Amino acid sequence: MVGSRRKGVISELGDICQAIFLLHICGLLGIFVLSIVRKRQALESAKIFARLIDQLNEKVGTFAGWLTTLLVLVVCYDVFSRYFLNQSSIAVQELEWHIFSIIFLLGAAFTLRHDRHVRVDVLYTNFS
C-alpha cells in the first residue's frame, strides 16, 4: 500500500511536471507570437515615423530655399546701403551670417536626401 501510494504521488508529480512543461511551451509560443506581432507593429510605426520625417524634411528644405531668396535681398540691401548711401550696418551683416547659418543647417538634410550635397572630389574619388 505504501508503494502504490508512493507510485501515485510520483505519477501525480509527473503529471504536474508535464502540465508545467506544456504551460511553459505554450507560454514561449505565446511570447514568440507576441514578439512577431510587436515587431510588425514596431516596423509599421517606424515606417510611419520615417514618412513623417521625410515630409518634414521636404518642408524644411523648401523653407531653406525661400530663406536663400531672403538672404539675397538682405545682401543686396547691404551692398546698396554701403556703396550708394555710404552707410554700413553691422546688424545687417550679422543678419546675413545668421540667415546663412540657418540655411546651411536646415538645408543639409534636404540636400543629403536628394543626393545634391557638395562632395570633395579628391576624397570622394579615392575613398568611394
Side-chain angles (χ1 to χ4, degrees), residues 48-64:
I48 291 169
F49 182 70
R51 275 189 243 119
L52 289 173
I53 294 296
D54 286 342
Q55 291 171 356
L56 178 66
N57 191 14
E58 290 294 322
K59 291 178 182 174
V60 168
T62 303
F63 178 70

Side-chain angles (χ1 to χ4, degrees), residues 40-102:
R40 287 183 182 164
Q41 289 173 347
L43 185 61
E44 289 300 318
S45 297
K47 286 180 182 179
I48 291 169
F49 182 70
R51 275 189 243 119
L52 289 173
I53 294 296
D54 286 342
Q55 291 171 356
L56 178 66
N57 191 14
E58 290 294 322
K59 291 178 182 174
V60 168
T62 303
F63 178 70
W66 284 107
L67 277 179
T68 306
T69 305
L70 177 66
L71 179 63
V72 167
L73 294 173
V74 171
V75 169
C76 287
Y77 170 76
D78 187 28
V79 168
F80 178 77
S81 65
R82 183 183 307 157
Y83 291 109
F84 293 108
L85 303 176
N86 291 328
Q87 294 177 339
S88 181
S89 174
I90 295 175
V92 173
Q93 292 174 359
E94 289 291 324
L95 180 64
E96 292 170 9
W97 282 104
H98 285 89
I99 293 174
F100 176 74
S101 63
I102 291 170

Side-chain angles (χ1 to χ4, degrees), residues 15-57:
D15 292 340
I16 291 172
C17 288
Q18 285 178 353
I20 290 173
F21 179 73
L22 288 175
L23 285 173
H24 184 67
I25 295 297
C26 291
L28 289 176
L29 287 174
I31 291 171
F32 179 70
V33 169
L34 281 176
S35 68
I36 290 174
V37 170
R38 287 184 180 159
K39 284 180 185 177
R40 287 183 182 164
Q41 289 173 347
L43 185 61
E44 289 300 318
S45 297
K47 286 180 182 179
I48 291 169
F49 182 70
R51 275 189 243 119
L52 289 173
I53 294 296
D54 286 342
Q55 291 171 356
L56 178 66
N57 191 14

